[in-house]
Amino acid sequence: MAKPNLQVALDNNTLESALGDIRAVGNIVDIVEAGTILILQEGTIAVRALRALFPDKVVIADTKCADAGSTVAKNMADAGADWMTCICSATIPTIQAAQKQVKEIQIELYGNWTKEDAQSWLDIGVTQAIYHQSRDALLSGGSWGEKDLAKVKMLVDMGFRVSVTGGLSVDTLKLFAGVDVYTFIAGRAITQAPDPAKAATDFQNEIIRIWGK
Ligand code: 5RP
């Protein structure tokens, strides 16, 4: 089983603040994400800045695209994004249009989706899914548990590379021991930590402790 990647999600309200965070942790994490909040605030300028700073890392635009897949994906690709997210309720034509513009599409799983939906994404060549606990669900008292593990395992068994995200802490990771998680995505637990570089290093060390190098 490969070591899961660590991805930092930059959900900052300003580019200046995002750049401060990524300068602190960019060399520690494996993948860099322009988060939805940052993209809504700053647009493709944020993606462009991350690409310029990290020419050799995977840069993700977390657009959670629901429509106009071709235009949104072309804009993100032109700005330097490798991968882009589409929300799971997007239609297959939207996802296919986006696929033509960026290297890979990741499906963001929120709310209601079925195994049949997941198979329809595989059928069009999408092999990445992001299993997500929304921050609003977590704020309303939700938590990570066996129900999530079962869905992540089902997606892995179907052949997806699965990223896991939503209010993750270093402590959450052990729930997934033995599961072939592709990437853990952490935002606030890194960027809002008193020492973001230490927080990112703690995540990497825990991933290595559980999955090996
Ligand atoms: C919110 C997101 C976040 O980027 C993702 O959930 C990681 O952030 P955090 O660890 O702060 O929850 O996609 O929609």
Side-chain angles (χ1 to χ4, degrees):
M1 202 174 286
K3 170 195 164 292
N5 298 301
L6 176 63
Q7 176 174 326
V8 67
L10 298 166
D11 281 305
N12 308 64
N13 270 320
T14 66
L15 180 59
E16 188 187 4
S17 145
L19 292 181
D21 286 339
I22 202 61
R23 285 197 179 100
V25 305
N27 289 324
I28 301 167
V29 302
D30 305 297
I31 300 175
V32 172
E33 172 194 320
T36 312
I37 294 171
L38 181 63
I39 290 179
L40 287 171
Q41 289 290 96
E42 300 278 7
T44 50
I45 289 171
V47 178
R48 243 174 251 285
L50 296 177
R51 170 49 72 215
L53 279 175
F54 297 99
D56 301 322
K57 285 201 195 262
V58 171
V59 171
I60 296 178
D62 186 15
T63 52
K64 297 184 174 68
C65 181
D67 199 2
S70 180
T71 305
V72 174
K74 182 171 187 324
N75 291 344
M76 295 301 147
D78 287 350
D82 298 296
W83 303 345
M84 187 188 101
T85 63
C86 284
I87 196 78
C88 58
S89 54
T91 62
I92 291 293
T94 291
I95 298 168
Q96 285 178 312
Q99 273 179 305
K100 292 192 182 116
Q101 303 294 339
V102 287
K103 290 181 197 146
E104 286 197 48
I105 290 296
Q106 302 174 294
I107 304 292
E108 281 265 6
L109 302 172
Y110 282 97
N112 297 321
W113 53 275
T114 63
K115 191 171 181 185
E116 288 68 37
D117 293 327
Q119 188 56 54
S120 71
W121 302 322
L122 283 176
D123 291 345
I124 59 164
V126 173
T127 58
Q128 290 206 57
I130 302 178
Y131 186 82
H132 210 130
Q133 288 253 32
S134 84
R135 69 170 65 188
D136 298 326
L138 289 166
L139 285 171
S140 309
S143 62
W144 285 97
E146 289 300 324
K147 64 183 190 322
D148 307 300
L149 204 53
K151 288 183 190 160
V152 170
K153 281 182 185 162
M154 180 192 84
L155 291 162
V156 171
D157 289 346
M158 289 180 77
F160 284 97
R161 281 171 288 152
V162 182
S163 299
V164 170
T165 191
L168 291 182
S169 67
V170 169
D171 230 33
T172 324
L173 303 189
K174 56 180 174 301
L175 176 68
F176 296 91
V179 181
D180 198 3
V181 172
Y182 183 60
T183 298
F184 287 106
I185 307 171
R188 291 160 294 171
I190 293 176
T191 59
Q192 294 182 11
D195 182 345
K198 180 181 179 306
T201 304
D202 289 346
F203 267 97
Q204 286 287 27
N205 287 340
E206 181 67 351
I207 292 172
I208 289 166
R209 186 186 74 75
I210 298 172
W211 282 270
K213 286 197 181 200

